[in-house]
Amino acid sequence: MDQLYDRIGTSYARGRRTDPRWMSVITESLGDAESLVNVGAGTGSYEPADRDVIAVEPSAAMIRQRPEGSPPVVRAVAERLPVRSGVVDAALAVLTVHHWADWRRGLAELRRVAPLRVVLAYDVRRHLDYWFVREYVPEIADLERRRPSAPEIAAELGAERMIPLPLPWDFTDGVFPAHWRRPEAYLDPEVRRNCSALARCDPAAAERGLRRLRADLAGGRWRRRHQDLLDQREYDAGFRLVVSRD
């Protein structure tokens, strides 16, 4: 994962901005936890400012983009957290588990270091049914099927809650399906660089799909096919906040 984000993550601070609507749910789920380890912390998105935070991130490119004054960060991987057992109140992991080399071992580490685990993941089935994958770049599905899904993560952690996090149409965090009602955004190379699903896809397959999308937008076909989306305020792309407590 660190090599991937050293290559594609150089503009994450611009393209993957914290959306306050998700942030409020994450903060509420952390409850009264005063200290936490943020695993796969990246550039610091969704890192609460009112807690004692230890950030863990393997990518140097991501660490360099963390704002001045951010909590201390340790360069390490989820499978080997440099944190003593039970030393923090909570472990936070936001859109990172699907990148771990051994996700079950990483989740075991979350359980080892904290009695409360708050993990933002997604249901792979919903991603596979996303119009961009289904109609334009189906090759993305080959990658997605190998990734752990939110229900699997919840079962592994023995979660007590799995909270749906829908995507508002004007979502500010450029996660892969964020542009479900703004398809023109996918024609922007920087938007694509900030989506690991696209950045890791075969370039030739991605280019074929983008040509079709460009043509469908120009000819009005996308709008006719997805008129129902244009009337929606939010979309369920399968994002789930998994909450697990001992």
Side-chain angles (χ1 to χ4, degrees):
M1 174 180 155
D2 53 336
Q3 292 179 348
L4 170 69
Y5 279 95
D6 284 342
R7 176 171 56 85
I8 73 170
T10 55
S11 63
Y12 258 50
R14 295 193 303 272
R16 300 296 298 271
R17 301 186 305 276
T18 307
D19 190 286
R21 290 160 288 194
W22 275 16
M23 186 75 227
S24 65
V25 181
I26 291 170
T27 301
E28 182 180 354
S29 298
L30 288 169
D32 59 1
E34 297 179 356
S35 61
L36 64 93
V37 57
N38 185 15
V39 181
T43 62
S45 295
Y46 306 106
E47 202 165 74
D50 59 345
R51 325 280 173 121
D52 292 328
V53 176
I54 302 169
V56 175
E57 168 59 44
S59 167
M62 302 293 269
I63 291 172
R64 285 194 295 269
Q65 295 174 76
R66 291 175 63 81
E68 185 176 351
S70 293
V73 59
V74 179
R75 193 173 181 189
V77 296
E79 295 88 342
R80 294 185 300 278
L81 292 178
V83 178
R84 296 194 308 275
S85 298
V87 75
V88 290
D89 298 325
L92 176 66
V94 175
L95 295 178
T96 178
V97 175
H98 57 282
H99 292 302
W100 297 352
D102 184 340
W103 63 273
R104 288 186 173 85
R105 182 175 175 182
L107 294 181
E109 281 286 89
L110 299 191
R111 300 190 76 157
R112 177 181 67 79
V113 302
L116 171 66
R117 282 78 54 178
V118 176
V119 177
L120 176 50
Y122 60 87
D123 189 327
V124 168
R125 294 171 301 175
R126 297 289 303 181
H127 270 41
L128 294 179
D129 194 43
Y130 182 43
W131 61 258
F132 189 93
V133 177
R134 191 177 63 245
E135 298 169 18
Y136 295 100
V137 190
E139 292 83 357
I140 291 174
D142 296 333
L143 171 65
E144 292 293 335
R145 290 190 185 97
R146 297 195 295 268
R147 290 177 159 179
S149 193
E152 291 179 280
I153 292 169
E156 189 74 16
L157 287 173
E160 60 184 41
R161 285 185 293 160
M162 193 163 60
I163 305 167
L165 289 180
L167 290 169
W169 75 270
D170 57 349
F171 199 58
T172 58
D173 183 345
V175 294
F176 172 45
H179 310 290
W180 58 271
R181 213 180 90 172
R182 297 169 287 171
E184 297 84 357
Y186 291 111
L187 304 181
D188 183 340
E190 184 157 313
V191 167
R192 299 196 299 272
R193 279 195 297 270
N194 291 328
C195 301
S196 65
L198 272 169
R200 297 181 68 177
C201 182
D202 174 49
E207 185 54 39
R208 285 195 300 270
L210 290 168
R211 283 198 302 268
R212 289 196 296 270
L213 175 60
R214 191 176 289 109
D216 284 354
L217 289 172
R221 185 180 181 190
W222 187 94
R223 186 178 183 89
R224 291 192 298 272
R225 183 185 291 163
H226 296 291
Q227 185 63 46
D228 60 321
L229 292 181
L230 301 177
D231 298 327
Q232 295 182 29
R233 301 290 297 176
E234 60 184 28
Y235 171 74
D236 182 6
F239 291 101
R240 301 291 183 264
L241 195 65
V242 177
V243 182
S244 165
R245 189 189 304 269
D246 289 341

